[in-house]
Every structure is written in C-alpha cells, then in structure tokens.
Amino acid sequence: METYESVLLVKNEVFVFKIPPKTSNRGYRAADWNLQEPQWTGRMRLVSKGEELVMKLEDKTSGELFAKCPIDKYPGVALESVTDSSRYFVVKIQDDNGRSAYIGLGFGDRSDSFDLNVALQDHFKWLRKEQEDQSAPQQQLDLGFKEGETIKINMKITKKDGSEGSRPRRGVGGAGGGGLLPPPPGGSRLPPPPSPQHTPSPSAPAAPPGANSEWGEFNSASEPSQPPITPASQQNWVQF
C-alpha cells in the first residue's frame, strides 16, 4: 500500500546558528551562540510519512532543501532543547550518505516553538497508539450456545384461507372449564316443521324422483288417512 507524505507543521522563518562544541554535561546554552548573526534563514517543514518523521529546512523562495533532520523520538538526540531559552533547539542534521552534524535552530516567537512541541508530541502519541493496537491480540467473537442456553422463536400459523392466527385450544370438560359445550343427547339434527297441506295445480311440474325423499317419508308418516287422488293427470302426486 502506498504511503503518502503528510505535512504536520510549517514555519516560514527559522534561524540556523553554528554552535560551539559541547564542553560539559549540563546541556547547550543559546547564550553561547552568536544570536545576532544567524548562519542561515529559511523555512521549516515537519513532514511525516507513515511512521517516519523528518524536519526539513528549505529555502523559503525556491523550496531547495538546505538540511534535514530525521526524528525517531522526542525528546531525544535528534532534537534537544537548550537550557536557557524555549525558542532555541539543537538539531542533528543528516545527509543521504549518513553523515551528521549539530546545528542551532531558533524561532523569532515563542508561539512558534510551542507549536513545534505540540506537533512532535501529537505525532509520537499517535505512533504509540498504533503500535499498541497492532500488538494487542484480536478478540474473537463467540457466537456458540453455552451449556444449558436455549433460544425462543415466535412462529406464525397461516390458515388455509391465507389469514394468520393460532390454533384454538380445546376446552377442559366440566363446569367452569371455559370450553365448547357438547351437543345435546339424541342426535345433532332436529326434525323440520310439517308442511302445510295443499293441492298442487294441474299445471305444476312433477318433482324429480328422490328430490325430497326425506320430506315425503315425513308427510306419509304424519298423514296415514289421506285418500288417494284418482285423476290420471295427478298420478305422480299420488305417489308422492
């Protein structure tokens, strides 16, 4: 995957000084430098590319590189603060052949040096978090059922006509059971009421055989003394 260069901070005016060799372990002092006569003036850019961080000193007009300082940690030997001022630093510059030298770097305003400190701290804080996330073990999600664990599923029952519902329960027998009442004893169908007696007109059509056989049996049982009808045009009605 290609890594892009990101500019973290730009300061358009910085000063570079030649510093004397360090003679004690108490640190560098900016007062020992010739602050009135800087060796070089230009632009500073703080650039990150992945985990790499480089301070670049460039010509503020042409952008030509004057020197660069790879920074692997902060505070560290690559960029060190002086003991007597917050605006000056000792910078370890390197070329492509690996040769290195120490120079003095200063800002005209304290807010510029404060911005440099914040940008460096933010970068290495982000870098530590990235390294911790990569080294942390990946937690696997366990979706299996534990012992004794069950799952409940709600299902809908569809009737034949397409409507949804649930099968009704059967009632429990006995008083107060709340179920359906049993049919009355002696059968589930009541006899029909008797038909009124009338003489059909000669022009009425004869009923098809067996159409009202049950009603015929009922009439013949309830009217045993009815005399037969003698006209030949109504013989079918006599049989009925």
Side-chain angles (χ1 to χ4, degrees), residues 199-217:
T199 302
S201 61
S203 60
N212 294 321
S213 58
E214 294 183 359
W215 288 95
E217 293 176 0

Side-chain angles (χ1 to χ4, degrees), residues 74-85:
Y74 181 74
V77 296
L79 189 67
E80 184 180 351
S81 300
V82 297
T83 59
D84 58 344
S85 177

